[in-house]
Amino acid sequence: MKLKIDRNSIKFKTFLYFMVFAVTLMAALWILQVVLLNNFYGTMKTAQTKEVASEIERSFKHNESDRFLDKVSQISESYDMYIYVVSYDGKTTYYQPSASDVAQAPGFETDTSQETAPGEMQYASKIQTLNEHMMRGNGSAYVKIKGVDASQEILAYGSVLSAKNKDPMIVYIFSPLWPVSSTIKILTNQLIYVTIISIILAILISLYLSTRITRPIRKINTSAKSLAEGNYGIVFQGGHYTELVDLADTLTGASIELEKSDMMQKDLIANVSHDLKTPLTMIKSYAEMIRDLSGDNPEKRNEHLKVIIDEADRLNVLVNDLLAISRLQSGKLTLEKSEFNLTDTIDNVLKTYRIMELEEGYTFEFNGDTAYYVDADEEKIKQVITNLLTNAIKFCGEDKLIKITLKKRGKYVTCHVEDHGPGIAPEEIEHIWDRYYRSSSNMKREKEGTGLGLSICKEILTLHKARFGIDSILGEGSDFWFELECIKK
Ligand code: ADP
């Protein structure tokens, strides 16, 4: 069976990145420790020797002889170097490392059988060689010389120290280069272990990490598939990571919203079917009545025809609402702005309602004395006013009074539509503008609507970038308002 590897999976990518990281790190270590160690060591020793040499020179210039020799002894102790200070004629040695130190120095281990103080003897030949280099180099030299054992190397520095009012002296510094090959061998062995351990760790950590990340993602995916099949109310499980917990919470929220919207759509279909069915049944039965019974009786016929016309009007409103919301939803609706007098527009809308004052006892109070000009889509603003008025009529109180007020606020004009009806509970106010929302109360047929009127208002006002809102007290009435920018005329 061929193992299929998904190269784009988190598992594969995490594994790959960890491996690249581990391998790069190991390669860097190998190069630095094994390949470049020798160079590093040499460079470091050279720099150190030069630093010590200049420190000694500085000290000779600025210090008394005693303090200078103390300083040399201090330096000699703190560095892995062997320092000699001798008189200019080479006869007096002022400072030299202890014999035992020198005996241990690489390149000088042999020959301890010598009778003379080993230190003195070991370096005698080297000092001589160094002196020759110094003579060629104007009193100072910095050279790499061979130890007694030819495989050993020593950095040697020699210089004449001179200062005003002081007898000149000569300083010799021998800085042995310890053989690093054995160190490299040890490091190589250690690095093999470190490399193996790092690679195993990289594999384990990447597997652990990717599993911890992918497991919750897989779970979320399964839940999302189930949601897509229509199983709402699913609680998405996050993982150990904030981002995944957030994603799960967002999806859970989305699933709740989807459920709500689905329920609302179902409600709408139920409502719309009901709303369509009732007038259709009425139209059909009244038409049959005219055909069979009242066709010859003009009075009865007209009465029946009025019912048919009213019901047809009701159907018209419903279909118009549905068309408007579907256009708004599809985002196809654009504003056709023009400058118009809002006061006149409201007056015109109210004219169509005046008949209700005469026939049904409603009162429409409007403070339409001042002209307010706005730049907006007149037809759509008319629709907003109509929808608000329709609601105010539907939900007005016993007094059947509906107040329409225009108020100037700064550079804006606010239009209020008030009634003294049942009002809206505070917890319902925020849902009132939602599509298909209808408050749980007021389910009498004449108050039935599509639940679309206010959401149409919301879409239109949002398109105008206008502010709008409701102030309502339960049992006392509601005040629906919106605001448009005034223009000067
Ligand atoms: P509908 O066609 O059902 O009236 P709307 O979107 O116009 O749809 O209104 C949504 C709901 O808001 C209504 O069902 C009603 O419960 C509530 N509502 C709207 N206007 C008023 C009002 N003036 N007073 C009290 N409740 C109102």
Side-chain angles (χ1 to χ4, degrees), residues 391 394-395 419 424 432 437-439 449-451 453-454 478 480:
N391 280 348
K394 261 197 281 184
F395 300 102
D419 64 64
I424 301 156
I432 280 291
Y437 186 86
R438 297 163 80 195
S439 106
T450 53
L454 288 180
S478 317
F480 285 73

Side-chain angles (χ1 to χ4, degrees), residues 412-448:
Y412 296 95
V413 59
T414 321
C415 175
H416 294 261
V417 178
E418 281 171 74
D419 64 64
H420 299 132
I424 301 156
E427 67 274 12
E428 293 205 41
I429 282 189
E430 58 172 315
H431 301 297
I432 280 291
W433 304 95
D434 289 348
R435 276 172 219 140
Y436 321 127
Y437 186 86
R438 297 163 80 195
S439 106
S440 42
S441 50
N442 306 317
M443 293 304 280
K444 279 192 270 166
R445 177 163 191 254
E446 67 267 22
K447 288 189 179 172
E448 268 174 18

Side-chain angles (χ1 to χ4, degrees), residues 26-51:
M26 283 304 109
L29 259 181
W30 276 88
I31 292 170
L32 288 179
Q33 299 284 59
V34 178
V35 184
L36 297 178
L37 186 67
N38 227 340
N39 284 354
F40 264 159
Y41 181 64
T43 318
M44 194 193 79
K45 271 286 192 190
T46 310
Q48 223 175 39
T49 312
K50 283 185 174 162
E51 200 181 298

Side-chain angles (χ1 to χ4, degrees), residues 345-387:
T345 308
I346 296 177
D347 243 344
N348 287 334
V349 174
L350 277 175
K351 268 184 199 143
T352 59
Y353 288 90
R354 290 292 174 206
I355 186 124
M356 296 181 84
E357 283 189 314
L358 299 172
E359 292 186 357
E360 296 176 45
Y362 287 95
T363 316
F364 296 95
E365 232 180 72
F366 176 44
N367 68 335
D369 322 320
T370 323
Y372 293 106
Y373 287 90
V374 292
D375 182 20
D377 186 324
E378 189 173 3
E379 280 312 307
K380 297 204 174 62
I381 295 296
K382 256 189 194 170
Q383 171 141 37
V384 171
I385 297 163
T386 310
N387 287 3

